[in-house]
Amino acid sequence: MTVFELKQEFVKVFGGTAEDVRVFTAPGRVNLIGDHTDYNGGYVLPIAISMKTFIACRTTNDGFIRMRATDIDDCVDVDIKHLNDYRDLKWGNYQVGVAYELERRGYEIVGCQMLYHDELPHGAGLSSSAAIEVATALLLATLSNEKRGIKDDINMVEMALCGQGSESNYCGVNCGIMDQFASAMGKKNNAIFLDCEDLSFTYVPINISGYKIVISNTNKKNELANIKYNERKSECDAGFEFLKGAGASSLGKVTPEQFEKLKILMTNDVIRKRTEHVVYECDRVKRSVTALKGGGIFLFGRLMSQSHNSLRDLYEVSSTELDILVEEALKTEGCIGSRMTGGGFGGCTVSIVKEENVEEFIKTVGNNYRERIGCEATFYISDITDGACEIV
Ligand code: GLA
């Protein structure tokens, strides 16, 4: 749907004319490497992708945020004086949570009409919820600043934090900061090398000319993810207790050398495996950044595959479908690295594939996946894009 068409849809739903309708957007993300490290104060390397969430909106003065979506048959009208009362919505609680977080940070929430349009598949691990949160945060903060006559640029890191705050403080999902940060701070043709402990970051140019980033969707929703996510988080917290002797500020900052010296203290095998993943995964992120900066794309590909194996065997968050997609990808000519990306238990893989082999990759991996799993995989070839913005 084009922006023009979205505005026409908005007028059909809310009336009036398209003249005063504005459009905000935020992208989904794919993490190139560094999974289950963000909530351990470690490193990640995500990119913002071409698939996005769009919100058409218009300011009103009736004290309500009125939300509709092009693909969901639900209407949510939120009284801005009672933002705390909408935690149990089937759809819309992420957005209200964002409004709630903004208000806590001193923004004045302004009534408006909003029509959501999503290009991102839901539950596919491409951060459709983070995109919704970040686009909503930018929109509401913009309206708030305009109402108060504040001309400063919106702080996009703060918008990412509002998105994360909505999930953890309002919706009860204890996620890390990676997804919202990537959606808010993405930069065209760059990955974000982010230290999730203090949010310091640098952009890493992704010069992989001749290669494409191919996202393969298992089309299995990551349903177990929430339960297992919290379980993994506490296992990591427990593991860090044994590594405190290293003097690191968080598990993500423990080096492989420190880990090897102290791991003997961990008699619980599960805890040892979880922490081993985090420590070595953070190391792989740092080595990937060095490799990518020096044009070492093949080394990066190998690190991606090691990362997948670690998520499968040590962290145990992969699934048969993800493993088969990775296995089939790596058998295909021109694929130099492949791994599950995001929370796991379903969702997507990311692969780096030589441009001339992409068509064959999609055909072969798709056929073999169908044969082995009995359902279709979906493939997306993504550019690396900028983060959230208003489309003007
Ligand atoms: C989900 C969470 C992120 C991150 C990843 C795993 O996508 O929302 O914060 O923890 O899983 O890397």
Side-chain angles (χ1 to χ4, degrees):
M1 191 181 287
T2 62
V3 168
F4 175 80
E5 286 163 350
L6 180 60
K7 287 186 178 179
Q8 297 306 311
E9 269 312 297
F10 181 96
V11 169
K12 269 195 221 150
V13 174
F14 288 109
T17 68
E19 223 135 86
D20 57 352
V21 180
R22 302 163 71 170
V23 176
F24 290 76
T25 185
R29 68 93 190 91
V30 151
N31 189 21
L32 294 182
I33 194 161
D35 271 310
H36 291 278
T37 50
D38 61 353
Y39 52 85
N40 286 304
Y43 301 101
V44 293
L45 193 67
I47 55 171
I49 58 174
S50 343
M51 282 182 281
K52 298 175 197 293
T53 283
F54 295 86
I55 317 173
C57 80
R58 176 193 286 143
T59 312
T60 58
N61 284 315
D62 64 354
F64 276 84
I65 297 175
R66 300 186 191 277
M67 298 189 285
R68 312 287 185 265
T70 54
D71 60 342
I72 293 171
D73 193 18
D74 209 346
C75 317
V76 173
D77 293 327
V78 176
D79 182 344
I80 60 175
K81 291 214 168 55
H82 297 100
L83 291 174
N84 198 18
D85 296 350
Y86 298 87
R87 289 169 190 261
D88 298 324
L89 294 176
K90 251 199 343 250
W91 174 80
N93 56 344
Y94 287 123
Q95 293 93 309
V96 190
V98 164
Y100 178 82
E101 284 294 310
L102 284 167
E103 195 176 62
R104 289 201 327 171
R105 289 164 183 269
Y107 287 88
E108 181 185 337
I109 300 304
V110 177
C112 57
Q113 299 164 327
M114 303 203 250
L115 179 67
Y116 284 79
H117 177 67
D118 223 337
E119 290 174 347
L120 286 152
H122 293 236
L126 298 176
S127 296
S128 56
S129 45
I132 287 177
E133 289 150 16
V134 170
T136 306
L138 177 61
L139 182 162
L140 291 176
T142 303
L143 300 189
S144 171
N145 278 3
E146 284 170 1
K147 178 150 189 218
R148 293 177 300 160
I150 296 172
K151 297 232 159 39
D152 300 350
D153 284 345
I154 305 279
N155 177 341
M156 292 308 292
V157 174
E158 188 182 26
M159 296 304 105
L161 287 166
C162 284
Q164 185 203 20
S166 163
E167 296 218 17
S168 44
N169 303 330
Y170 202 83
C171 306
V173 185
N174 275 322
C175 67
I177 187 65
M178 170 172 73
D179 304 348
Q180 292 80 4
F181 201 95
S183 182
M185 299 294 292
K187 185 171 167 189
K188 196 174 162 56
N189 295 333
N190 282 260
I192 310 171
F193 174 37
L194 173 66
D195 178 341
C196 299
E197 192 172 17
D198 62 7
L199 301 189
S200 58
F201 68 98
T202 51
Y203 289 114
V204 180
I206 302 294
N207 297 318
I208 51 168
S209 70
Y211 288 85
K212 288 277 174 203
I213 296 171
V214 182
I215 302 166
S216 312
N217 187 350
T218 59
N219 285 321
K220 292 267 164 149
K221 294 216 160 145
N222 45 4
E223 269 155 4
L224 262 179
N226 277 355
I227 307 165
K228 293 289 177 189
Y229 196 87
N230 291 340
E231 198 179 288
R232 294 293 179 279
K233 209 162 180 270
S234 15
E235 288 162 352
C236 287
D237 292 344
F240 185 47
E241 287 302 311
F242 294 97
L243 302 172
K244 285 257 162 82
S249 49
S250 66
L251 177 57
K253 298 292 154 45
V254 175
T255 64
E257 296 71 31
Q258 292 168 332
F259 174 78
E260 291 303 328
K261 270 194 211 135
L262 293 167
K263 72 176 182 193
I264 189 152
L265 300 174
M266 282 185 264
T267 46
N268 181 324
D269 212 36
V270 170
I271 303 276
R272 202 248 324 132
K273 287 199 293 185
R274 306 300 188 239
T275 48
E276 185 171 335
H277 165 73
V278 175
V279 169
Y280 280 89
E281 182 81 347
C282 287
D283 189 55
R284 278 189 287 272
V285 176
K286 290 193 276 181
R287 289 166 62 204
S288 296
V289 170
T290 313
L292 285 166
K293 281 184 178 163
I297 183 164
F298 290 100
L299 171 57
F300 174 57
R302 285 199 297 281
L303 292 166
M304 286 176 83
S305 304
Q306 286 169 18
S307 163
H308 182 79
N309 295 346
S310 176
L311 287 157
R312 182 192 61 205
D313 301 335
L314 298 177
Y315 217 68
E316 297 179 277
V317 289
S318 189
S319 67
T320 311
E321 292 81 10
L322 288 166
D323 292 344
I324 284 179
L325 275 183
V326 167
E327 204 181 301
E328 293 297 337
L330 292 175
K331 276 197 232 156
T332 312
E333 202 187 333
C335 174
I336 59 165
S338 185
R339 61 186 288 278
M340 58 154 276
T341 180
F345 298 105
C348 290
T349 66
V350 55
S351 310
I352 311 283
V353 185
K354 216 172 188 175
E355 213 164 338
E356 67 207 50
N357 298 117
V358 167
E359 210 176 301
E360 187 56 33
F361 175 95
I362 294 176
K363 207 167 121 210
T364 312
V365 176
N367 284 343
N368 294 349
Y369 182 77
R370 186 185 315 108
E371 217 162 82
R372 293 179 69 182
I373 294 292
C375 84
E376 296 293 327
T378 315
F379 299 87
Y380 320 100
I381 298 161
S382 184
D383 290 330
I384 304 178
T385 64
D386 285 324
C389 65
E390 177 172 6
I391 300 176
V392 283

